[in-house]
Amino acid sequence: NETIPGCKGPGGGRDWDYCYNTSGLVELTGGNDDGATDLAACTGECDSDAQCAAGLRCFQRSNGETIPGCFGPGGGRNWDYCYDPCIPQEHASSVLTAINSSDGAASPSIRDISITGPCGGALRGASISDKERGGCWRHVHPETGNVYDFSYWVSAHEGIARAEQRYNPVAAPAREGKAYMTFPDNICTYSRTDMRCWSDYKRYFQFVGLLDETLAFSALPLPLQTAGVAPAGAVGTRRAEGFEACGSPGETANDPRLPHSYGVRMQLRGEDTLFLHRPISDRENSRAMVHNNVAVYAHDQLRQRAAWALSQVLVVGADNDDDTERWLAYYDIFVRHAFGSFRDVLREVSYSPIMGDWLTYEGVRSRALSGKFPDENYAREIMQLFTIGLWQLQPDGTRELDGDGKPIRTYDDHDIVTFARAWTGFHRVAPRANIAQEERGNNNKNSIDPMRIEPDDRDFLPKIDLYDGFIGDGYPLCTDLPPRSFLRRGGTFVRRASPGEFDDRATDVLEPERGSPLPPAL
């Protein structure tokens, strides 16, 4: 007497069998792991809602009842599976519409979709083409088909220390020519079926693209722009050949004619530290020595003094360590923009991993994901210390007063709570070559390159400004543009079609008449 997916009514009898459409349904899969968590929809076997991914519930069966949104026999009539209570069978058409309307240019077999469910809220996921079933689409984990650079784990994961020294369980798949890795038992402190093992470390990996996607060499993350990754002939041996991958802004090659004057840490392994050179006994002052050398002897003294003044406003703590490069890289922000826009200074400072660590917004996730309000440290300090201060001011610098003669505050606690949402999702990029290693805690952190925003951790809701409007209100909407604005003088046209995409059967191709002034104008 089981329910037929997508059907209703008594039918001819309790034992009658009926055909049904599996389009939009997910086949029951999974094993019987009592410790498994973060199980996807139609995955089992679960014993409680706590084992299912966020927003899903565990469907408890007693005699093979149909799991909403799923099909197939599964492991048994009494097996329980996770399901999405907000996507009933009749909602499959919305899913199919989202798949068909999504952009498949990057990878024809993978579509990232986002729809609004009947229970409210945005539903995110991915679908992958299943060629074995005649080209149908099936729901998969949102990370399916994503390609990441795992170079960080080859040397940094704690599981390697527990593995035999002659065997690196992370590097082995790459040496064997594989593009995937199965977690060895000694590589993760959780069960191998627990997604926490991935989510705990995801922030350390640089996203590259989608499986089967074609990328330009220059579009790869900087750590991957190497001769080993480049296609044949893309990187030459002489300076004038091929493609040059740059590192930090203003970074230059080492000059072998100059002596090594400062301690630079090249590698850390446990208690053993390898230094390029150790000519000074007090390594904690090495960054000050570099700064003093430049500030005193540089020819652009006005720039150096303006940079010093800016560094006294947008301050960070130096923590008495003997790292050099990361502090100088932060100070270089003020040198580059000494005569430029203060907005550019704020942008680079805000993306700096030094500031993200000092004012504790690095790695902060949205309230929807973490269950708690985002860290308010930077939201407060960027207003109080770095920009507008505590009180509204007159053009002559005196405080503005309200009708009662009291000073008017520039912001209140509500503004801080609201602005804290803007500083979510910031994560460091993966470590790369040609930067000094750190001695603190995790020695594989990249404290040189700007942080990136991880969309999954970002608060995606609108952000209110100080004037009861919304950030971005100053930008025009598409509906506000004048008619045929794309034909205005100065417009830019980008060719989206690939060669051979249009043929004689196309009906949406404009063919100007002979002598038309349009082609010369374009």
Side-chain angles (χ1 to χ4, degrees), residues 46 83 244 256 267 280 283 332 352 358 385 393 482:
C46 60
Y83 76 103
E244 180 180 4
Q267 182 180 2
I280 54 178
R283 299 196 307 274
D332 280 345
S352 169
W358 177 244
L385 300 181
L393 302 178

Side-chain angles (χ1 to χ4, degrees), residues 67-216:
I67 310 294
C70 311
F71 78 96
R77 300 178 66 83
N78 295 325
W79 279 42
D80 305 323
Y81 291 87
C82 298
Y83 76 103
D84 191 339
C86 293
I87 307 184
Q89 167 63 20
E90 56 269 19
H91 199 55
S93 59
S94 299
V95 177
L96 191 59
T97 300
I99 293 174
N100 293 333
S101 60
S102 60
D103 183 13
S107 177
S109 61
I110 300 175
R111 303 289 178 88
D112 290 315
I113 62 174
S114 178
I115 61 175
T116 301
C119 293
L123 304 174
R124 299 180 65 253
S127 295
I128 186 168
S129 179
D130 194 342
K131 297 180 180 179
E132 296 179 357
R133 294 181 181 164
C136 295
W137 293 91
R138 58 188 176 92
H139 181 260
V140 294
H141 193 278
E143 292 287 359
T144 300
N146 287 352
V147 178
Y148 290 86
D149 175 22
F150 272 70
S151 301
Y152 163 78
W153 243 359
V154 172
S155 60
H157 196 286
E158 66 268 16
I160 296 173
R162 299 193 294 270
E164 300 178 15
Q165 294 184 357
R166 59 182 175 84
Y167 174 75
N168 188 318
V170 180
R175 294 194 182 100
E176 297 168 3
K178 298 178 180 179
Y180 62 90
M181 180 184 69
T182 301
F183 290 115
D185 290 328
N186 60 351
I187 205 70
C188 187
T189 55
Y190 307 114
S191 165
R192 286 193 295 174
T193 59
D194 196 327
M195 283 300 294
R196 285 179 296 175
C197 194
W198 164 251
S199 58
D200 282 358
Y201 289 93
K202 176 183 175 181
R203 63 185 182 275
Y204 294 118
F205 307 130
Q206 179 71 51
F207 176 74
V208 179
L210 296 177
L211 192 65
D212 299 328
E213 182 179 3
T214 300
L215 295 176

